[in-house]
Amino acid sequence: MNNHWKAAALAAVISAATLAVTAQPAAAALGSTDFLKVSGSVLKKNSGTGATINLRGTNLGGWLTHEDWMSPLGEFALTRNGWTATASAGNASLAIDGDDTTRWTTGADQNGSEWLKVDMGVVSRFNRVTFGHTDFGGGDYARAFTVEVSTSGSTWTSVHSGAGNASSTVTTAGFTPVTARYVRVKQTGTGDKWWSVGEFNVFNDAASFDRAQWTASASGGTGSANLIDGDVSTRWTSGADQTPGMWVKLDLGARMTINNVTLDTQKDSTSEDDYPRAYTVQLSDNGSAWTQVASGTGTAKATNISFPAAGGRYVRVNQTGTDDKWWSVGEMSVGLNRDDYDLQLTLDQRFGATGAQTIRDAHENTWITTADFDNLAAMGVNFVRLPIGWTTLLNTDGTWRSSAWTKIDWAIDQLSSRGIYTLLDLHTVPGGGCPWASCGRVGPNPNGFWGSTTYQDWVVDIWQAIAARYAGNPAVAGYDLINEPLLDYTEDSADVAKKSAYYDRLYDAVRLVDPDHVIVMGAFFGFGAITPPSTYGWTNVVYELHPYDMPHATDWNAQNQLVTNHLNALPGLLSNPGVPVLYGEYSLYYYDDVWARWMAGLNAQQQSWSNWTYKTRGTDDDGQGYWGFHYNRTAPVPVINTDDSATFVQKLQRFATSTFTRNDRMVATVTRYAGGLSTFAPVSISRTGWTATASGTGGSGTLSGGIDGNSATKWNSGADQTPGQWYKIDMGTTRTVAMVTVQTPASSAATDYMRGYRLEFSTDGTTWTTVGSGIGFGGKRPISVTPQSTRYVKITQTGTADYWWSMDEVTMYSSY
């Protein structure tokens, strides 16, 4: 990077970010001697001359950037344009007014004859409806109901029957995708309460996007059927140089609500450069009257087009530019994406900048509070990786937000006062730095960031503003430049070179205004995905890995092998390229023993770690029990394109951490290693003197088969799984137990695992204390507990399945 560019860029960013660069936030408990720098392959305090330190902490995910599975980003429903509602009684329009504090109600006790009907105006495709009685807690849910659909309003087809639930404020009915104009919910039960509906919504989820229902056409050229054949290596092409008036069009077969169109091409082919030089996107219900929803400039390889959620049966992309290249498309797709960027677009459209910020503030003021920083301090962590969405700093047009720094400054000060460093992580970049919602925008690979010089310039500006604001601040551990940067699932040398060159541009931009802070660079999916620091002369840098094995979440052996592989590889990485490593994200799922070995191993080699994440709204049932220290919050999330502002805010304010379930065992395990403990030495309890009893035994199983230390033998229930089956162990004497592992025989691991469990301890075999409960799965299932004395251990099966419950080994540990 030449000095002329550096000088020009610095002048530009200081001019553009006048409102952004103000007085540097004062550090509190962390002082000047705590300033971190790289020294060889470790971090050291006192600007690299003091004590060695490895960073040990977590991520504050879902706060300053949304991810729909983790935070209450919300969901998109069908747009309500042209809808009308009628009912058996009352003012049905109140069920579709966007206001959860108003309601349609029968005004009389439920007798089985009530109904609510919506005419959507045009034939639409959908697969789910919801009707809520939020804030009407008097039991006004449907005691029983049937969902019917119709194209004519006279002939009806039942698609779902069910019953409401007193413990849930929203009733959900899912079904195979259907095409219809009318939806009717009939209340078929009886009760001494009215039936009330605060809001009625209809959804076209991913299952509704069935290409078998679509047809494609074009203004000319050849191969229009190739637009939707699922094969990016085939293509439609204009066969002529680009001129205004060319178009490609999809007929979706029915009206659908969408917020995205993607035009993709085969990678490393001549088609990559045949992108539209300019475009507009239009939607129509009838193929003749069109509404423009987007316009812009295409990007090489793939063009990802987002817009506020809108409805239509026909989708047309018009090429409006001029170039001596053909226009070619390998695949054309549409979607309804739930990501941070699409949330922001719709909020801005519906509520304006001020109204949208009010909604963001409601979430940010609720999701993380001072109580959460106290929780982290109590765990003993010494740093937090702070994921920041680019939309926290900039408006969607690239201008700076007036409140860009408020929450970032506050978090740094709060954490610093508790002796905790903050790593500033630009978790999303404009256009998306990877194809997943975790990068802020769902899209193709490469996503829009890598093909847009405008977006890349914005990120340079962002990092120079950050560096100017926090230069010299010892509470800031460093700058994590781009989260999970990825140009292709199988990046080649050209991809790596392009990514590394942009990293070098960011490095130079930061160093121009902050020569001292650590810079963190993502090596995603490994060190082969980024050039060595010596290539560009980078110094004071850390490389970051995210070791996940998501396909094998319920496989102890796979998660344990993941840890083994990374710990074994680490000495080589510390030698070459010889920089410190941050394991900035990971989850090892339900395996406390694997977590412990992982953190002990990294502490022993003085390398840094932060699990993903601090809190998540998901539950054990959907596999999120170990994705956050706090989890299990099932309150309704906002409906982004139909809830009014007050309803939006009200829903977001229900997600304070105090309403979540604390994962005590996960907290205890991480707390144990947050102080730097570097040993992992589990101590198993001798099985000598153990005896077992059970609720039943069958087939080739024996009572002793579960405790004899021989995986070739087993105990099984002798009957299909039903709640209440149990297996009890008498250890013969009182022992201290910290963990119990239950192992399903390998030959039946996919079928004979306990669907759920309750673990109980007793010192006398009569009075029992529940010490753990949760979901089960095949293979090895560790269950950690607060270490305590017991003689008797009882495992009760709490689920239902058409398979026996089998165990080939139960092992207990006094420590792990």
Side-chain angles (χ1 to χ4, degrees):
M1 212 62 70
N2 62 62
N3 289 331
H4 173 77
W5 179 89
K6 289 180 178 178
L10 179 59
V13 75
I14 290 175
S15 175
T18 300
L19 62 88
V21 181
T22 58
Q24 178 181 304
L30 292 174
S32 59
T33 58
D34 296 301
F35 197 98
L36 300 181
K37 275 194 173 183
V38 170
S39 177
S41 60
V42 297
L43 294 171
K44 290 187 176 182
K45 293 184 175 184
N46 201 20
S47 298
T49 64
T52 297
I53 182 175
N54 69 312
L55 299 175
R56 305 176 297 274
T58 190
N59 286 264
L60 289 185
W63 183 36
L64 301 184
T65 181
H66 275 282
E67 292 185 45
D68 73 308
W69 66 274
M70 175 180 52
S71 58
L73 178 151
E75 57 183 344
F76 289 97
L78 267 61
T79 56
R80 289 172 168 169
N81 297 346
W83 283 24
T84 57
T86 55
S88 54
N91 183 0
S93 65
L94 296 175
I96 57 172
D97 66 354
D99 184 351
D100 223 16
T101 64
T102 65
R103 62 174 170 170
W104 164 77
T105 185
T106 58
D109 292 348
Q110 297 178 41
N111 62 28
S113 65
E114 302 87 358
W115 54 267
L116 173 66
K117 182 175 70 176
V118 170
D119 175 1
M120 296 182 288
V122 295
V123 172
S124 303
R125 189 165 174 81
F126 53 96
N127 66 296
R128 178 167 58 100
V129 300
T130 64
F131 44 98
H133 54 97
T134 306
D135 290 335
F136 304 109
D140 288 7
Y141 62 92
R143 294 316 191 258
F145 66 88
T146 299
V147 178
E148 299 174 322
V149 300
S150 174
T151 56
S152 63
S154 57
T155 302
W156 295 88
T157 300
S158 175
V159 294
H160 184 97
S161 295
N165 188 330
S167 64
S168 175
T169 56
V170 174
T171 299
T172 299
F175 38 86
T176 301
V178 296
T179 299
R181 172 174 168 173
Y182 301 89
V183 186
R184 182 170 68 188
V185 180
K186 297 171 69 177
Q187 201 293 124
T188 59
T190 58
D192 59 357
K193 298 290 184 181
W194 299 359
W195 178 31
S196 300
V197 175
E199 284 298 302
F200 180 88
N201 280 290
V202 183
F203 299 85
N204 52 220
D205 300 317
S208 293
F209 287 81
D210 179 7
R211 290 188 171 206
Q213 308 290 322
W214 302 359
T215 57
S217 57
S219 55
T222 59
S224 60
N226 295 335
L227 288 166
I228 55 173
D229 66 355
D231 183 356
V232 77
S233 68
T234 65
R235 67 175 184 172
W236 166 83
T237 187
S238 63
D241 293 347
Q242 294 185 40
T243 57
M246 297 174 172
W247 53 262
V248 292
K249 181 173 69 177
L250 296 183
D251 176 358
L252 305 179
R255 192 176 209 258
M256 297 189 69
T257 296
I258 64 173
N259 61 9
N260 178 265
V261 176
T262 298
L263 308 177
D264 206 353
T265 59
Q266 185 179 21
K267 305 301 182 286
D268 300 321
S269 72
T270 56
S271 296
E272 281 188 338
D273 207 33
D274 289 358
Y275 59 91
R277 281 359 190 218
Y279 64 79
T280 62
V281 177
Q282 297 173 307
L283 302 184
S284 173
D285 283 329
N286 57 21
S288 57
W290 295 89
T291 300
Q292 181 171 312
V293 293
S295 62
T297 302
T299 52
K301 296 189 177 183
T303 297
N304 190 18
I305 307 167
S306 297
F307 44 88
R313 170 175 173 171
Y314 300 90
V315 183
R316 186 170 69 188
V317 179
N318 306 295
Q319 204 291 127
T320 60
T322 302
D323 199 90
D324 60 1
K325 297 282 187 181
W326 294 3
W327 181 26
S328 302
V329 181
E331 282 296 299
M332 180 176 176
S333 60
V334 301
L336 185 58
N337 297 333
R338 295 163 60 179
D339 55 46
D340 190 79
Y341 180 61
D342 286 297
L343 166 69
Q344 191 61 51
L345 284 179
T346 300
L347 291 183
D348 287 346
Q349 179 207 46
R350 295 191 64 210
F351 305 115
T354 301
Q357 188 61 50
T358 297
I359 290 171
R360 291 184 71 102
D361 288 344
H363 168 68
E364 292 172 5
N365 292 338
T366 303
W367 190 253
I368 296 296
T369 69
T370 55
D372 296 294
F373 297 127
D374 290 339
N375 291 342
L376 292 167
M379 290 178 64
V381 302
N382 66 4
F383 104 108
V384 162
R385 183 172 179 254
L386 181 60
I388 303 166
W390 73 273
T391 53
T392 296
L393 301 168
L394 304 183
N395 297 304
T396 56
D397 64 359
T399 58
W400 280 89
R401 289 183 179 274
S402 60
S403 58
W405 307 104
T406 303
K407 287 299 183 184
I408 301 171
D409 287 351
W410 177 70
I412 292 171
D413 287 346
Q414 288 288 322
L415 290 166
S416 176
S417 69
R418 293 162 173 82
I420 301 172
Y421 291 98
T422 301
L423 175 66
L424 300 179
D425 158 40
L426 190 60
H427 206 72
T428 73
V429 293
C434 78
W436 306 301
S438 58
C439 288
R441 186 182 185 189
V442 175
N445 202 3
N447 214 337
F449 175 75
W450 299 105
S452 170
T453 56
T454 297
Y455 288 161
Q456 292 172 14
D457 290 346
W458 290 2
V459 171
V460 170
D461 292 348
I462 284 171
W463 273 116
Q464 285 202 308
I466 291 173
R469 189 173 187 84
Y470 299 111
N473 189 337
V476 174
Y479 308 137
D480 191 345
L481 298 182
I482 304 177
N483 174 64
E484 297 185 351
L486 189 69
L487 277 73
D488 194 82
Y489 294 112
T490 55
E491 289 181 329
D492 57 24
S493 58
D495 294 324
V496 173
K498 180 177 181 178
K499 177 168 52 177
S500 299
Y502 184 71
Y503 259 140
D504 184 56
R505 183 182 173 192
L506 290 182
Y507 175 92
D508 287 346
V510 169
R511 286 288 178 249
L512 189 61
V513 292
D514 184 348
D516 297 318
H517 264 115
V518 170
I519 290 178
V520 179
M521 298 180 175
F524 191 74
F525 296 110
F527 275 42
I530 187 171
T531 192
S534 58
T535 302
Y536 289 102
W538 298 335
T539 60
N540 199 27
V541 297
V542 171
Y543 279 10
E544 181 175 355
L545 294 171
H546 291 179
Y548 287 116
D549 187 355
M550 295 181 185
H552 301 102
T554 57
D555 186 338
W556 182 92
N557 289 318
Q559 300 301 321
N560 193 54
Q561 189 61 52
L562 175 72
V563 165
T564 296
N565 293 345
H566 277 275
L567 291 180
N568 287 347
L570 184 51
L573 300 179
L574 297 179
S575 174
N576 181 21
V579 297
V581 181
L582 165 65
Y583 294 88
E585 291 184 25
Y586 57 86
S587 175
L588 299 167
Y589 299 92
Y590 300 90
Y591 312 112
D592 290 313
D593 52 343
V594 180
W595 283 80
R597 188 165 77 89
W598 172 242
M599 291 180 288
L602 295 181
N603 288 347
Q605 299 187 65
Q606 295 286 0
Q607 300 305 304
S608 301
W609 49 266
S610 53
N611 72 290
W612 190 270
T613 181
Y614 172 71
K615 63 187 282 192
T616 175
R617 63 184 178 88
T619 68
D620 262 341
D621 290 339
D622 53 26
Q624 293 186 36
Y626 265 71
W627 278 97
F629 301 121
H630 305 269
Y631 72 110
N632 191 34
R633 181 59 172 143
T634 57
V637 298
V639 182
I640 299 168
N641 56 330
T642 64
D643 282 348
D644 66 14
S645 178
T647 298
F648 222 118
V649 167
Q650 182 185 61
K651 287 182 177 179
L652 293 172
Q653 289 174 336
R654 295 180 177 133
F655 287 87
T657 305
S658 59
T659 66
F660 286 57
T661 299
R662 184 176 186 262
N663 187 330
D664 291 331
R665 297 319 310 150
M666 183 183 180
V667 169
T669 300
V670 173
T671 298
R672 186 179 183 196
Y673 291 91
L677 180 66
S678 60
T679 57
F680 172 71
V683 178
S684 61
I685 298 173
S686 171
R687 294 186 175 91
T688 302
W690 288 17
T691 57
T693 54
S695 55
T697 302
S700 59
T702 64
L703 287 170
S704 63
I707 56 172
D708 61 4
N710 182 1
S711 61
T713 63
K714 64 182 177 182
W715 167 84
N716 58 49
S717 61
D720 291 347
Q721 293 184 45
T722 57
Q725 295 162 327
W726 54 268
Y727 185 82
K728 183 170 64 178
I729 299 168
D730 176 0
M731 294 186 289
T733 187
T734 299
R735 305 291 188 100
T736 297
V737 177
M739 184 168 66
V740 177
T741 63
V742 178
Q743 186 161 298
T744 309
S747 61
S748 57
T751 57
D752 288 8
Y753 61 92
M754 55 186 182
R755 286 341 192 236
Y757 72 85
R758 182 173 66 252
L759 180 66
E760 297 171 286
F761 287 176
S762 175
T763 56
D764 59 10
T766 302
T767 302
W768 295 90
T769 300
T770 298
V771 295
S773 62
I775 62 171
F777 41 79
K780 185 177 179 180
R781 177 54 159 114
I783 307 168
S784 70
V785 301
T786 302
Q788 55 196 280
S789 296
T790 187
R791 172 175 170 173
Y792 299 90
V793 175
K794 182 164 69 173
I795 305 161
T796 300
Q797 202 286 126
T798 60
T800 301
D802 294 331
Y803 295 97
W804 292 6
W805 172 27
S806 301
M807 299 186 296
D808 65 10
E809 214 56 59
V810 177
T811 306
M812 297 188 220
Y813 297 84
S814 59
S815 65
Y816 68 94

